[in-house]
Amino acid sequence: MVRIILIYSVINIVIQCDVISRSSYCDIKYVFNGQLGVKIADCKNRGLQFVPQDLPRDINVLDISSNQLKSIDSSSLINYTHLQELNGLYNLAVLDMSHNLLDLSHAYSPELFLPIQHLTKLDIRSNMPQPENYNKQFDYPGHAFGVLRELTFLGIDMMPVPIFGSGISQMKYLRKLYFESCYLVRLSNKTFQKFSSSLEELYLKNCRLNFVKTEDDALSPFPHLRVLDLFGTFMHLSRALLLLHPYRYRNMTTINVGHVSDLTIDSDDFPYALTITSDIMKNLKSICIENLDLSQNGIVDYKHGSLFSFDHPECLKHLSLKGNRLILAHINNHEEIDSFFRKALRLQSLDYSYNVVNFFIENSMTSDSNFKISGGSHLTVHSSKINNLTYLDISYTNTTVTMIFMELRLETFISAGTRYSLGWNELNRFQETNLKKIVWKDATLNEGIDTYGNRLFMKCQSVKSLDISKNSIWHFSDDLFKPMPNLSNLYLTNNFLQSIPEQLNTHTNIKVLDVRKNLLTTINSLIRNWADQMHEIHGMTLYLDGNAFMCNCDNLDFIRWIHTTKVDLDSRSYQCQLSNGSVTDTLIAYNSFTELFSDCKSNMWLTFASTLLSTCVTISFLLLLYSKRWKIAFSIYGLIQRTIEKKVRKTYQYDVYMSYEGEIVIWIKNVLAPKFEDEWGLTMCIKDRDFLIGESLLDTEAECIKNSRYIIFLITPEFKLSRDCLFELDRAKYETVTKNLDKIIVITKDILVTDIPHEFSYIWNYAYVVQWPKEEEDLNDTWRRLKMLLTVQNKQVAQ
């Protein structure tokens, strides 16, 4: 990252000052003090709203005073690695210098923030290096921070034993306090004592290098706290919940104590395999909390009157129990959890994913045999008819006990990593008019498709987004997606599909289709046309990466489509396999179309001939035979057959026709021809060498161009005088349009591109330009480019 040292003092060291250049915004000056030179970018009074990015990278001083900048982030200064001084920030409101290498141990001078004392947001997180001594106190000087009296947001690193100076209390408007790069080892009652009581949000996340010892009243300085986020700070869940003592019987927006327990701090006193008791919950249960995260804390069970015994369950909107080892409902606590879900009227999302346990109940608590699951049991949870639960995630919940929620109005249902039967059972309980998003990944859904067909999605009429990735699906039953007329986003990644299902052609709302990492070799014309239509109607994104595409004669239209369609693709360059087994990508194939697929023309003509003779010609032939017009029938048949054979079997007398003028013929014979003919095995038509005496020159030229695969115009200063130029250009264009000529190549030698005769504008849409280098070391690249452009019938030039 960029090392930037901010110095806000004015240095009067001017001995000599020379303006050496001017950028689009600023004057660049040198200031000398003896032998020492300082490079200054003077950007004063330029009306700037952002830091200029086109300044010399080695500037030492940047003066942006008297401008209109409101904020600066670290990325805006990342180019200026030698910057030592930054002036003119008095009215700056936001300064983001996070994720750099600012060691604040040396930068906290009393004057540090004086020039920017009107800041409302200061973010200097992720700058401090990991300390070597975790017992050493670190002083956060109050005299430096005390001038930031308008600050409402502070992001800073947390050292092992922090000591905050008394000047910190001057930040009376501070509302949000973020700590990052956290090396904390102890959170005491005195840690935050100097902070203003106005704080509303505290984020102390990912302090995981040490076990953080805590004191119960460490958060007492913040009586108005609404958001507490301790995610990933290893202090153990039981200790984290004790910190909530100052907020008993209060209202809070968010409490995130996810992953505060970990195997690395497992002990007899703080076990990772934790059973929740009423004593552990005594603070949390009394708080009216909207968003609660208890994920990844090793919870294996809970006692009666603990985990779901909230005084105000109606306050909860979002609850996460993800990544524990917990059975949410079983016989011993069924009534308690049933009561909780009846009262949690505002609960919108429940994340119960990644709870991997193996618990079996012999006697299920429901008599509904339609939802029996082989090898396990289930419990029915009755939620209120007026509940607001719209998001349910039961992914990778490997348990023999399943919960069936009643009366749900879900909008998002996630059931990944479990057998499809679990999700199938839950789906049958949902009100089909509410469900908008289903994630059914890694759920052996291929078996469900074989068993139920389109009945699998019969409750999904309102679904707009469906993710059925990682399900080993290799085919779709007919009309599988028919029950989902509103489908707009479809994710089919990591399956075994060999083609995109054509049944999608009837769906007109698709905006996103993800078929990455399947076994597609192509996309047929029906789906391509449908995708183009969808893009015209409402825009469409198509993800294709990671398939087994083929770059062969059968896929030419698909290769062209990739580079011409307006559909938003995740790439224009997908790996594909050539007919000879080698691997390339579709971009190279498209740019080397003629070279790679030169033999496809004859194949296409043979197919066309076969089709024509087996349909139209055969029909005409039979009709004529039926009318007893024998001679006419056989004459027409023979004529068409000879015409097709002539077209199919067309061969070229020459590979390259060379057009040039003047004495350059010596260079052609000594340099170009040996390379083309002797080394690359091409045949050339050179008029001074190959034209016969006595024949019409123009006729000979026309015939040679017609019988050549390529025409090369060698343009030198002498070419401007050529009388044959227009004729050759006209013939070249004609033969290209009639498909007889594969490529027009223009080589410029000893002439600027701007001096090429304007008559060449007639062929620029068909031509490839190669500028012959003056330097010997550049010749290899030029020959290589010519190799790529030149091929012969059914054979590419040796590489």
Side-chain angles (χ1 to χ4, degrees), residues 108 113 117 119-122 124 140-156 164-177 179 194-200 222:
Y108 280 148
F113 297 120
Q117 57 186 279
L119 282 181
T120 59
K121 177 179 179 180
L122 174 63
I124 48 177
Y140 293 80
H143 55 260
F145 287 97
V147 301
L148 300 175
R149 301 189 178 189
E150 300 177 26
L151 206 65
T152 61
F153 174 101
L154 175 61
I156 198 168
F164 294 97
S166 58
I168 297 289
S169 62
Q170 298 300 313
M171 298 187 292
K172 296 184 180 299
Y173 297 103
L174 191 64
R175 297 291 183 268
K176 299 181 181 181
L177 181 57
F179 290 102
K194 301 297 175 58
F195 280 87
S196 169
S197 62
S198 62
L199 196 74
E200 296 177 354
F222 306 131

Side-chain angles (χ1 to χ4, degrees), residues 643-685:
T643 302
I644 293 173
E645 288 177 353
K646 181 179 180 182
K647 186 66 178 178
V648 170
R649 297 175 182 176
K650 173 176 172 53
T651 57
Y652 294 94
Q653 183 178 350
Y654 304 104
D655 292 319
V656 180
Y657 176 81
M658 177 63 65
S659 176
Y660 60 94
E661 193 68 23
E663 298 299 323
I664 196 70
V665 67
I666 298 174
W667 181 83
I668 293 173
K669 291 179 178 179
N670 294 337
V671 177
L672 210 60
K675 177 71 75 172
F676 279 26
E677 295 180 323
D678 299 337
E679 187 173 335
W680 291 352
L682 297 171
T683 57
M684 297 182 68
C685 180

Side-chain angles (χ1 to χ4, degrees), residues 553 556 559-560 578 587-602 604 652 655 708-710 736 739-745 766 768 787-797:
C553 296
L556 299 187
I559 296 170
R560 289 193 189 98
L578 295 169
L587 180 60
I588 292 175
Y590 180 75
N591 290 330
S592 307
F593 216 82
T594 305
E595 295 90 325
L596 295 176
F597 309 115
S598 58
D599 59 336
C600 291
K601 288 186 177 182
S602 58
M604 287 187 290
Y652 294 94
D655 292 319
S708 296
R709 194 162 185 74
Y710 307 98
T736 301
K739 310 300 183 184
N740 286 328
L741 195 66
D742 279 354
K743 227 173 246 166
I744 300 174
I745 300 172
Y766 312 95
Y768 297 80
K787 275 187 179 182
M788 292 177 63
L789 293 174
L790 294 171
T791 63
V792 295
Q793 183 81 9
N794 298 324
K795 181 182 72 174
Q796 187 173 354
V797 174

Side-chain angles (χ1 to χ4, degrees), residues 728-743:
E728 292 169 339
L729 287 171
D730 182 70
R731 297 305 305 176
K733 182 177 179 181
Y734 171 81
E735 296 297 342
T736 301
V737 171
T738 58
K739 310 300 183 184
N740 286 328
L741 195 66
D742 279 354
K743 227 173 246 166

Side-chain angles (χ1 to χ4, degrees), residues 435-438 460-466 484 486-491 509-510 512:
L435 199 58
K436 300 295 187 296
K437 179 179 180 179
I438 295 177
C460 303
Q461 285 88 337
S462 60
V463 170
K464 293 184 177 180
S465 179
L466 176 66
M484 293 182 285
N486 296 302
L487 194 62
S488 62
N489 291 31
L490 179 59
Y491 302 92
N509 294 314
I510 299 291
V512 175

